[in-house]
Amino acid sequence: MAELFEIPDGTPLMGAVTFGLIDRGTNVIQVRPSTSCPLNCIFCSTDAGPYSQRRRAEYVVRLDHMMEWFRELVKVKGSGVEAHIDTVGDPFTYPQLVELVQEIKKLEEVRIVSMQTHGHLMNERILGELAEAGLSRINLSVDALDPWLAKRLAGTEGYDVERVVANARYALENTSVDVLLAPVWVHPLNDSELEGLIALAKDMDAGRRSPPLGIQKCEYHRFGRRTKEMRHVSWYTFYGKMRELEKKTGMKLVIRASDFGIRPARTVEAPFRVGERLMVRIVGPGWLNGESLATTRDLRWAVTVVGEELPAGEEVRVRLLRTKDSILVGRPS
Ligand code: SF4
């Protein structure tokens, strides 16, 4: 069982893929306040959930700490920002989710606050509170409407797709929160569900201020989960399938970033290159087994150290293996 680790004050909230903020050079800021998840999806690319085999720690970031860093980054971005709460688990596990949305939405630069979830922890009360706090949209992953298959994909007997859909309808009919259905296409397990999900998006009038549906390609990661029956789908096959379904159903399924108003924006970039060596200080356990969490000496960047579980306080020299999107991963060298 992974230990719950509160990110210590003073830890930089940029540089890690698992917590804090991610800036990929657009007007979207990804906000990751917690890493936990109540489900165990059999296709989970981040190996989340109670039965995770690889997680060493579940992170949580204090609200004040998060907002301190968010305010700085949003100033760089300027107006028209979308804050997208999209964790490596499920955002509904964050105990101060409503307050987080409220604080983000107060900032004049922020136009949209959106969230990515499988919706297992949604209920009418929290949807009402999130609407009042200023949540604009939920991207809701519903991967199958057949209750048995939905449980199987979610890896949890307790997952109730009918309740999730009922809550999504409640949000659309009774609150200002928009809902976009974002099923993951887990070929071939839910091939037969895609048309039903498209029909559901139409029926519930999803996507009032955004596309109603954005089918996601199931991505396989080295540390993610998969089963023997699952088959990898190339981008060529994926878009071919989307066009075929578009013709059949009349629903737009090939979606571009511009459909969400995403555009390039000023960015804060880590000044490092792959292969560069630097000294980092360990501040806590890594997210996965065999990893440690560190910061640069100037406390500007978080660094994931792979290959060793080192004690907090130790200084170590690492060689950077990844710097893309200012996500820093290094190995002791
Ligand atoms: S796919 Fe999402 S909801 Fe499912 S286990 Fe992974 S993080 Fe949780």
Side-chain angles (χ1 to χ4, degrees):
M1 185 83 172
E3 73 171 283
L4 185 64
F5 183 75
E6 185 177 287
I7 299 297
D9 284 347
T11 305
L13 294 191
M14 292 185 72
V17 75
T18 46
F19 67 88
L21 307 173
I22 301 177
D23 172 4
R24 299 186 198 264
T26 71
N27 58 329
V28 175
I29 299 174
Q30 288 170 263
V31 182
R32 299 188 161 181
S34 63
T35 58
S36 303
C37 185
L39 299 182
N40 290 289
C41 300
I42 58 173
F43 54 86
C44 182
S45 62
T46 62
D47 191 24
Y51 304 148
S52 173
Q53 296 291 309
R54 296 190 169 88
R55 288 202 182 186
R56 182 179 172 210
E58 297 291 2
Y59 296 141
V60 62
V61 182
R62 279 195 324 102
L63 179 63
D64 291 354
H65 191 181
M66 182 66 93
M67 288 311 300
E68 192 188 313
W69 279 75
F70 188 87
R71 283 190 199 98
E72 288 301 314
L73 182 55
V74 93
K75 270 190 233 153
V76 174
K77 292 276 165 206
S79 61
V81 164
E82 173 170 347
H84 185 53
I85 308 171
D86 73 331
T87 68
V88 292
D90 194 292
F92 279 91
T93 61
Y94 188 53
Q96 291 169 292
L97 184 62
V98 173
E99 293 86 345
L100 176 67
V101 170
Q102 197 169 32
E103 290 302 310
I104 289 175
K105 199 55 197 290
K106 275 183 195 163
L107 303 174
E108 61 180 19
E109 294 90 346
V110 175
R111 192 170 61 92
I112 293 173
V113 185
S114 58
M115 187 184 296
Q116 171 68 48
T117 178
H118 264 78
H120 182 59
L121 300 177
M122 285 191 319
N123 57 45
E124 293 183 4
R125 181 189 53 77
I126 196 165
L127 287 168
E129 289 174 5
L130 286 167
E132 260 188 43
L135 183 69
S136 319
R137 188 184 73 240
I138 291 175
N139 294 0
L140 180 67
S141 292
V142 177
D143 310 317
L145 293 176
D146 175 84
W148 178 85
L149 180 58
K151 283 181 198 295
R152 177 156 184 247
L153 291 171
T156 309
E157 187 58 34
Y159 176 74
D160 179 353
V161 67
E162 283 164 3
R163 185 170 55 81
V164 171
V165 170
N167 281 320
R169 284 189 193 275
Y170 175 85
L172 285 163
E173 288 163 14
N174 299 284
T175 78
S176 54
V177 177
D178 200 1
V179 175
L180 170 154
L181 290 189
V184 182
W185 178 25
V186 190
H187 177 62
L189 299 182
N190 63 351
D191 289 13
S192 59
E193 294 286 319
L194 298 181
E195 284 183 47
L197 289 162
I198 294 168
L200 173 68
K202 283 184 187 168
D203 182 61
M204 71 198 318
D205 199 14
R208 289 173 187 168
R209 294 178 298 278
S210 67
L213 195 88
I215 297 178
Q216 305 181 70
K217 182 171 160 331
C218 185
E219 294 289 4
Y220 296 108
H221 288 276
R222 201 152 60 95
F223 297 119
R225 287 195 288 266
R226 58 177 303 173
T227 66
K228 278 190 201 135
E229 312 103 292
M230 286 161 58
R231 292 283 167 266
H232 177 257
V233 168
S234 67
W235 281 108
Y236 181 81
T237 306
F238 177 79
Y239 282 117
K241 180 72 174 174
M242 294 306 109
R243 289 201 180 89
E244 177 197 316
L245 287 169
E246 275 185 343
K247 266 197 203 141
K248 206 163 171 187
T249 63
M251 172 75 85
K252 179 178 160 69
L253 294 173
V254 178
I255 296 174
R256 296 188 168 77
S258 56
D259 293 323
F260 295 92
I262 299 174
R263 53 168 170 76
R266 276 183 66 201
T267 185
V268 176
E269 269 180 83
F272 305 113
R273 282 191 308 260
V274 169
E276 197 170 332
R277 289 182 165 78
L278 69 155
M279 291 300 291
V280 297
R281 178 186 287 269
I282 306 298
V283 293
W287 171 52
L288 300 178
N289 294 326
E291 297 186 354
S292 307
L293 175 63
T295 72
T296 53
R297 276 176 157 175
D298 63 2
L299 292 178
R300 289 297 310 161
W301 297 95
V303 181
T304 300
V305 177
V306 298
E308 274 193 63
E309 295 183 3
L310 298 164
E314 189 162 317
E315 292 224 339
V316 61
R317 193 174 152 90
V318 296
R319 182 175 167 274
L320 290 176
L321 306 174
R322 178 196 163 134
T323 58
K324 188 166 180 267
D325 297 325
S326 296
I327 291 164
L328 306 179
V329 179
R331 183 184 289 281
S333 75

